[in-house]
Amino acid sequence: MKLVRYGPLGQEKPGMIDADGKIRDLSSHVSDIAGDVLSQKGLQALKAIDPASLPVVDGTPRFGACVGGVSKILCIGLNYSDHAAETGAEPPSEPIIFTKQINALCGPNDEVEQPRGSDALDWEVELAVIIGSRAKYVSQSEAMDYVAGFAVMNDISERSFQIKRQGQWTKGKSHDTFGPLGPWLVTRDEVLDPHDLDMWLDVNGERRQTGNTNTLIFNVPHVVSYVSQFMTLMPGDVITTGTPPGVGMGMKPPQYLKPGDVMTLGIAGLGAQKQTVIPARD
């Protein structure tokens, strides 16, 4: 299934994408794509619904972040061997975890704000893992049982804030709109191999990133299991798994985003996003 949240910011409704690509309204069955809806039992209940029995959503409404009730966004750094190479970093011996704050979440086609004082705004297409049920101390062999599905995320980053402003990476990752997520959550059963998905990102129509999840250093079961050793994962939590090469920081000379720039990006089978950069709002 492809599950969506659509409508104005803060008023999103749950939906399902049917075989013809139309949005079907799920609000008579669930209040949101969140919480217990993301469990195996909850997803099976949605799968049993005939999409033809659901109202068609007219027009082209805004897509919100494809999952609600998110308690945390966790990111895995330098998790692609070819991206680590472009940054000049040694591949990590175990996953690097950092956080992106919840206020960063936005819809896949929402505008992206350039923060005040920013001079190094960057892009990162990433495979996002959506947790479906509470996970604590899970093994790699059982880790996928706790995954509801997958989505595209653009891990927007302000490199000066991230690297030059002291402390850890969170301050360069957490501005409003730094986490476009979606357009939809594709349930685990429809992603045959999350470790063989083509990824791409363009800026102003020019290809910047081309990659495949087959160059992940730590795969999805490893990451989910690893993170669950340090903190309890809850339904709706998002884990972004790293980015392939081609980020602005890695170019020679580095190239960064400015207002008016347009990013388009996607992952095979998971959909595409489009964002325009604007100056930060109050």
Side-chain angles (χ1 to χ4, degrees), residues 110-148:
D110 289 350
E111 293 170 323
V112 165
E113 297 184 14
Q114 181 172 29
R116 294 176 182 178
S118 163
D119 60 9
L121 189 65
D122 209 346
W123 56 84
E124 295 189 11
V125 59
E126 304 209 5
L127 173 68
V129 179
I130 312 300
I131 298 299
S133 54
R134 181 181 181 275
K136 182 176 182 180
Y137 297 129
V138 301
S139 67
Q140 290 190 39
S141 63
E142 63 183 353
M144 292 301 287
D145 293 339
Y146 296 85
V147 173

Side-chain angles (χ1 to χ4, degrees), residues 100-112:
K100 182 184 285 282
Q101 298 304 302
I102 301 303
N103 61 281
L105 271 183
C106 65
N109 303 314
D110 289 350
E111 293 170 323
V112 165

Side-chain angles (χ1 to χ4, degrees), residues 39-244:
S39 68
Q40 292 188 45
K41 182 179 179 180
L43 293 176
Q44 284 299 320
L46 292 185
K47 192 173 183 179
I49 299 170
D50 179 4
S53 70
L54 301 171
V56 174
V57 177
D58 294 327
T60 55
R62 168 189 174 271
F63 284 123
C66 60
V67 63
V70 180
S71 70
K72 49 189 172 292
I73 306 168
L74 303 166
C75 308
I76 307 300
L78 297 175
N79 196 28
Y80 280 73
S81 55
D82 37 8
H83 173 55
E86 81 169 337
T87 66
E90 288 291 324
S93 59
E94 56 185 288
I96 297 170
I97 302 172
F98 62 93
T99 62
K100 182 184 285 282
Q101 298 304 302
I102 301 303
N103 61 281
L105 271 183
C106 65
N109 303 314
D110 289 350
E111 293 170 323
V112 165
E113 297 184 14
Q114 181 172 29
R116 294 176 182 178
S118 163
D119 60 9
L121 189 65
D122 209 346
W123 56 84
E124 295 189 11
V125 59
E126 304 209 5
L127 173 68
V129 179
I130 312 300
I131 298 299
S133 54
R134 181 181 181 275
K136 182 176 182 180
Y137 297 129
V138 301
S139 67
Q140 290 190 39
S141 63
E142 63 183 353
M144 292 301 287
D145 293 339
Y146 296 85
V147 173
F150 303 92
V152 181
M153 177 174 267
N154 192 354
D155 177 20
I156 304 293
S157 308
E158 212 302 323
R159 302 301 189 187
S160 292
F161 295 179
Q162 177 186 353
I163 298 168
K164 299 178 181 179
R165 297 292 296 273
Q166 300 299 313
Q168 300 189 7
W169 292 354
T170 300
K171 67 178 72 173
K173 297 284 188 171
S174 298
H175 193 272
D176 293 351
T177 74
F178 272 24
L181 182 67
W184 36 70
L185 184 163
V186 181
T187 52
R188 190 181 76 234
D189 59 303
E190 290 200 5
V191 181
L192 297 180
D193 184 0
H195 307 109
D196 188 20
L197 301 175
D198 289 330
M199 315 167 70
W200 59 274
L201 182 145
D202 295 347
V203 177
N204 299 328
E206 295 184 5
R207 185 57 45 94
R208 290 289 187 262
Q209 289 186 276
T210 301
N212 188 288
T213 55
N214 60 19
T215 64
L216 280 168
I217 297 171
F218 304 107
N219 67 16
V220 173
H222 187 135
V223 166
V224 172
S225 172
Y226 182 87
V227 173
S228 79
Q229 309 306 308
F230 300 96
M231 65 198 79
T232 301
L233 296 168
M234 300 301 293
D237 283 353
V238 178
I239 304 176
T240 65
T241 54
T243 198

